[in-house]
């Protein structure tokens, strides 16, 4: 082989490498020139899309409007949508701060799960155990109280008695019964007297009609008509006083006294519970003391102390309420009995002025006939 051939063969790889590099550079230049040409080609399109010519009337021409709509639609469909992008903040403090990048959003919005809430077995067991414990305590307390009541009625069990308080409660119950009887009779009197007043009004109208039609008895019928009308007016005044008396006594009996008796009922229930747990503690103290009975005695002592405090608190509350009730009862009944006496006396004495003064004294206002619906007496 000749030297020229060998030198050509040795230089061939280098030439090949040079040729390949040159080809790559030429290809890159060609691609750059093609990209520049494409950008130059797209520039007029963007300019034309940005500049929308208008007609002389100020309206967009049809061809340009269609092209503008097509460009907007292309940008809306071809560009990234809100569902596909998200804003990514750069690291705080670096030079790229304030740059907002658009990246594909890979995670969709998590839909909130709805449906029935399932309680775990442990929570349901705790609720069931709590209710079972409440039922157990209620059953034990009911059993002890029932046993205490039966033993008291049979004369076998002991009973805590406050003699002074018990006597006051008994007097209050008797007073309520007597006041209820007075209230019943006052209502009956008002109902019957209302019928009398209505009869007097009708009788006065009949006398007045006859005084006009019977000329020979004109004066006599006229006198009687005037008398019946006056009695009817005074009767309505007396009915107003009686109704006020009934309303006040009814409030005293069915609200004030009844509220105090409700407190007395709570006190008596607390007394039964106190005696029931006291008896239970006494029975345990009489028995043997060992590892089994000592915890029971301590628990019974605790329950006894709780019910004792409750019993003492309610006893003091009932004693105070009875005292205030007695003062209020005396004050109310003093005024109402004075009203009733003066009104009835003035009516049957025919003293109309005194009857009106009684109503003014107690600030009683009478309803004008027909100004309102039927009165309480009419509904009875």
């Amino acid at each position: 082989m000749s030297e020229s051939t060998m030198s050509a063969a040795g230089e061939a790889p280098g030439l090949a490498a040079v040729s390949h590099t040159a080809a790559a550079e030429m290809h890159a230049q060609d691609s750059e020139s093609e990209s520049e040409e494409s950008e130059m080609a797209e520039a007029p399109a963007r300019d034309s899309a940005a500049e929308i010519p208008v007609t002389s009337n100020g309206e967009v021409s049809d061809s340009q409007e269609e092209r503008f709509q097509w460009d907007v639609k292309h940008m809306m469909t071809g560009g990234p949508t809100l569902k596909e992008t998200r804003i990514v903040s750069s690291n705080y403090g670096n030079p790229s701060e304030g740059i907002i990048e658009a990246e594909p959003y890979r995670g969709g919005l998590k839909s909130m799960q709805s449906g029935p809430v399932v309680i775990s077995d442990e929570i349901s067991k705790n609720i069931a155990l709590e209710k079972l414990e409440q039922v157990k305590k209620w059953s034990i307390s009911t059993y002890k109280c029932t046993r205490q009541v039966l033993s008291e009625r049979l004369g076998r069990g002991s009973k805590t008695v406050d003699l002074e308080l018990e006597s006051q409660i008994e007097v209050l119950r008797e007073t309520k019964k007597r006041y209820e009887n007075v209230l019943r009779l006052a209502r009956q009197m008002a109902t019957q007297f209302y019928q009398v007043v209505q009869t007097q009004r009708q009788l006065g109208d009949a006398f007045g009609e006859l005084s006009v039609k019977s000329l020979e008895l004109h004066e006599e019928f006229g006198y009687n008509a005037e008398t019946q009308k006056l009695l009817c007016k005074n009767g309505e005044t007396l009915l107003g006083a009686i109704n006020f008396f009934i309303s006040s006594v009814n409030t005293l009996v069915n609200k004030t006294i009844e509220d105090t008796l409700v407190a007395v009922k709570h006190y008596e229930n607390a007394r039964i519970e106190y005696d029931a747990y006291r008896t239970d503690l006494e029975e345990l103290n009489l028995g043997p003391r060992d590892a089994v009975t000592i915890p029971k005695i301590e628990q019974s002592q605790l329950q006894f102390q709780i019910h004792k405090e409750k019993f003492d608190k309610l006893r003091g509350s009932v004693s105070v309420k009875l005292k205030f009730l007695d003062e209020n009862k005396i004050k109310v009944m003093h005024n109402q009995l004075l009203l009733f006496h003066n009104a009835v006396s003035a009516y049957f004495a025919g003293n109309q002025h005194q009857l009106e003064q009684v109503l003014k004294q107690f600030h009683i206002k009478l309803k004008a006939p027909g100004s309102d619906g039927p009165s309480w007496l009419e509904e009875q």
Side-chain angles (χ1 to χ4, degrees):
M1 184 179 294
S2 63
E3 293 179 358
S4 61
T5 306
M6 292 177 62
S7 62
E11 293 174 358
L15 293 172
V18 171
S19 63
H20 284 300
T21 303
E25 291 177 355
M26 293 176 65
H27 180 71
Q29 291 176 0
D30 293 337
S31 63
E32 290 177 358
S33 62
E34 289 176 359
S35 63
E36 290 177 357
E37 291 176 358
S38 63
E39 290 177 358
M40 293 176 64
E42 290 174 0
R46 288 197 299 268
D47 295 337
S48 63
E51 298 178 1
I52 305 173
V54 295
T55 62
S56 59
N57 293 331
E59 299 178 353
V60 182
S61 61
D62 296 338
S63 60
Q64 296 295 334
E65 183 179 3
E66 292 176 358
R67 183 174 181 180
F68 174 73
Q69 292 178 356
W70 183 88
D71 290 338
V72 172
K73 182 177 181 181
H74 178 70
M75 286 188 292
M76 294 294 292
T77 57
T81 60
L82 182 60
K83 295 182 179 179
E84 298 174 350
T85 60
R86 61 188 177 95
I87 297 175
V88 181
S89 61
S90 303
N91 293 330
Y92 182 79
N94 59 11
S96 63
E97 180 181 357
I99 299 175
I100 300 176
E101 300 176 358
E103 295 183 359
Y105 186 69
R106 298 180 177 86
L109 295 175
K110 295 182 179 180
S111 59
M112 298 181 64
Q113 297 180 355
S114 60
V117 179
V118 180
I119 302 176
S120 62
D121 294 339
E122 185 177 357
I123 297 177
S124 59
K125 287 181 181 179
N126 292 336
I127 295 175
L129 290 175
E130 184 179 355
K131 290 183 178 180
L132 183 62
E133 187 67 21
Q134 292 177 356
V135 172
K136 181 180 178 181
K137 290 181 180 180
W138 175 82
S139 302
I140 293 174
S141 177
T142 304
Y143 166 73
K144 291 180 182 294
C145 294
T146 304
R147 184 183 64 178
Q148 178 67 24
V149 172
L150 291 176
S151 62
E152 289 178 3
R153 291 183 179 179
L154 295 175
R156 298 176 182 177
S158 59
K159 177 181 178 181
T160 303
V161 178
D162 188 338
L163 295 178
E164 182 179 0
L165 189 60
E166 292 293 334
S167 62
Q168 291 177 359
I169 293 173
E170 189 64 26
V171 169
L172 177 61
R173 285 175 173 151
E174 290 295 329
T175 302
K176 185 179 183 241
K177 290 180 180 179
R178 292 191 177 97
Y179 281 11
E180 286 176 345
N181 185 43
V182 170
L183 186 61
R184 179 183 62 82
L185 294 174
R187 285 173 173 168
Q188 183 177 353
M189 176 183 177
T191 303
Q192 294 174 353
F193 192 72
Y194 174 79
Q195 299 297 331
V196 172
V197 171
Q198 294 300 316
T199 304
Q200 287 176 340
R201 178 180 287 108
Q202 294 173 4
L203 187 60
D205 293 340
F207 284 153
E209 184 178 357
L210 287 173
S211 66
V212 174
K213 294 184 178 181
S214 300
L215 298 178
E216 63 278 6
L217 298 173
H218 172 73
E219 294 183 358
E220 290 80 358
F221 280 124
Y223 293 151
N224 282 277
E226 298 249 344
T227 302
Q228 295 301 321
K229 289 180 180 179
L230 180 62
L231 289 174
C232 179
K233 181 180 178 181
N234 294 341
E236 290 176 351
T237 306
L238 178 61
L239 275 175
I242 294 175
N243 289 333
F244 187 78
F245 173 82
I246 291 172
S247 176
S248 301
V249 176
N250 179 65
T251 301
L252 176 64
V253 173
N254 294 322
K255 291 186 178 180
T256 309
I257 296 179
E258 186 63 29
D259 290 343
T260 305
L261 290 178
V262 169
V264 169
K265 185 65 177 178
H266 293 327
Y267 157 74
E268 291 177 344
N269 292 336
R271 196 275 309 165
I272 294 174
E273 292 178 351
Y274 164 74
D275 284 336
Y277 282 93
R278 176 183 58 80
T279 303
D280 188 50
L281 180 61
E282 291 175 355
E283 291 177 355
L284 290 174
N285 287 328
L286 293 176
R289 291 178 174 267
D290 51 21
V292 178
T293 58
I294 288 178
K296 293 183 178 179
I297 293 174
E298 293 177 353
Q299 182 66 21
S300 179
Q301 179 68 33
L302 178 62
Q303 293 295 326
F304 167 75
Q305 189 64 29
I306 292 173
H307 287 87
K308 183 177 183 300
E309 292 176 357
K310 180 181 177 182
F311 170 66
D312 292 338
K313 181 179 178 180
L314 289 176
R315 178 171 59 182
S317 177
V318 168
S319 179
V320 172
K321 285 188 175 183
L322 287 174
K323 180 180 178 181
F324 282 113
L325 174 63
D326 189 60
E327 295 176 357
N328 187 31
K329 178 190 65 176
I330 292 174
K331 181 179 178 180
V332 170
M333 291 306 299
H334 171 76
N335 293 332
Q336 295 304 315
L337 290 174
L338 183 63
L339 163 69
F340 191 84
H341 172 269
N342 292 341
V344 173
S345 300
Y347 173 79
F348 285 101
N351 192 339
Q352 182 180 0
H353 178 72
Q354 183 180 355
L355 189 59
E356 293 176 354
Q357 290 298 322
V358 170
L359 297 185
K360 291 180 181 179
Q361 179 183 356
F362 290 92
H363 306 286
I364 301 174
K365 295 181 179 180
L366 298 178
K367 294 181 180 180
S371 62
D372 203 348
S375 64
W376 173 84
L377 293 171
E378 295 175 348
E379 295 176 355
Q380 300 300 316

